[in-house]
Amino acid sequence: AQKVTQTQTSISVMEKTTVTMDCVYETQDSSYFLFWYKQTASGEIVFLIRQDSYKKENATVGHYSLNFQKPKSSIGLIITATQIEDSAVYFCAMREGDSNYQLIWGSGTKLIIKP
Amino acid sequence: EAAVTQSPRNKVAVTGGKVTLSCNQTNNHNNMYWYRQDTGHGLRLIHYSYGAGSTEKGDIPDGYKASRPSQENFSLILELATPSQTSVYFCASGGDNTEVFFGKGTRLTVV
């Protein structure tokens, strides 16, 4: 059965530091796609970054990067040089390669950036 | 940047009334989705579509219908609204090999 688990419900860090948010997934498929989204205080859900399972190199976009550990079924999101506006809820999601294009969602991690 | 527009952004409906939530995307994406988000439940899939004329049931379809009359438009219909359908509804679209992009959400209150 497919499942995405985010065990950290809330994280608080100081501004300008680096934070890592954890996500583990379960799938029987050999091909799958992993995504991270951010939900802002206004409620908007914004796509941040993706990792395709066949790619060995960790994805990087701006100050977001991924730590993809395929043997551990883990896809961590790393945010460097955090800013106050990074405060949000972060969701991890997975889509299996031969699925009907549905996304399986984690429960989210609330990130608080302190000045 | 992909554009998904939802209307209305806020809606108050009476119990037993009909509610239609509309969604338009300008990205020529095949796939469109309707989710609801409630505190403690995260995002739950109500209906989705692979293209014009198709609708599929998601995880929580009871009490909802969907309509995809064109590639760009996907509606969610509550024929007989109930207070339990008070929630925030998100529409999203995505291509077959792309990430999914969300609208800004519709806050529905059924009184």
Side-chain angles (χ1 to χ4, degrees):
Chain A
Q2 323 98 312
K3 189 176 181 181
V4 175
T5 303
Q6 296 177 253
T7 56
Q8 302 156 306
T9 54
S10 182
I11 301 175
S12 181
V13 301
M14 298 299 294
E15 189 180 13
K16 301 178 184 175
T17 61
T18 295
V19 64
T20 298
M21 283 173 274
D22 301 328
C23 175
V24 294
Y25 56 90
E26 295 176 26
T27 180
Q28 303 301 316
D29 274 16
S30 57
S31 173
Y32 50 90
F33 307 91
L34 301 162
F35 307 90
W36 278 91
Y37 286 82
K38 167 184 177 181
Q39 186 167 31
T40 65
S42 67
E44 280 191 66
I45 301 174
V46 180
F47 165 72
L48 296 177
I49 191 169
R50 70 183 272 177
Q51 180 80 38
D52 298 348
S53 62
Y54 62 87
K55 292 185 177 178
K56 293 186 178 179
E57 191 172 311
N58 289 323
T60 297
V61 176
H63 76 144
Y64 302 107
S65 61
L66 297 177
N67 180 18
F68 181 39
Q69 299 185 62
K70 197 169 183 179
K72 295 183 178 181
S73 296
S74 170
I75 184 74
L77 174 68
I78 303 165
I79 307 177
T80 57
T82 52
Q83 303 161 22
I84 298 296
E85 50 266 35
D86 292 324
S87 297
V89 178
Y90 289 80
F91 290 96
C92 177
M94 174 181 70
R95 194 184 81 214
E96 294 176 322
D98 62 353
S99 79
N100 46 15
Y101 306 110
Q102 288 191 47
L103 286 166
I104 311 300
W105 292 88
S107 56
T109 296
K110 183 174 183 178
L111 176 64
I112 300 165
I113 307 296
K114 297 182 290 187
Chain B
E1 175 84 9
V4 180
T5 305
Q6 293 183 230
S7 62
R9 294 292 316 281
N10 291 280
K11 173 79 177 176
V12 179
V14 296
T15 298
K18 181 177 181 179
V19 176
T20 300
L21 305 183
S22 300
C23 180
N24 175 274
Q25 55 104 355
T26 58
N27 311 300
N28 199 31
H29 285 158
N30 287 335
N31 308 308
M32 295 187 75
Y33 311 82
W34 275 106
Y35 291 92
R36 67 178 281 176
Q37 187 178 37
D38 305 286
T39 304
H41 285 280
L43 286 163
R44 293 186 289 174
L45 183 65
I46 306 170
H47 284 288
Y48 59 101
S49 168
Y50 296 128
S54 96
T55 61
E56 305 289 337
K57 293 180 179 179
D59 299 322
I60 53 164
D62 293 346
Y64 302 94
K65 289 172 54 177
S67 173
R68 181 90 181 267
S70 65
Q71 180 81 337
E72 298 79 20
N73 296 296
F74 189 38
S75 298
L76 185 69
I77 303 149
L78 291 66
E79 295 277 7
L80 294 169
T82 69
S84 65
Q85 293 174 313
T86 293
S87 187
V88 180
Y89 292 84
F90 287 96
C91 176
S93 77
D96 292 351
N97 292 304
T98 72
E99 48 275 11
V100 167
F101 296 94
F102 284 81
K104 295 188 177 184
T106 295
R107 184 172 296 276
L108 174 66
T109 303
V110 183
V111 297

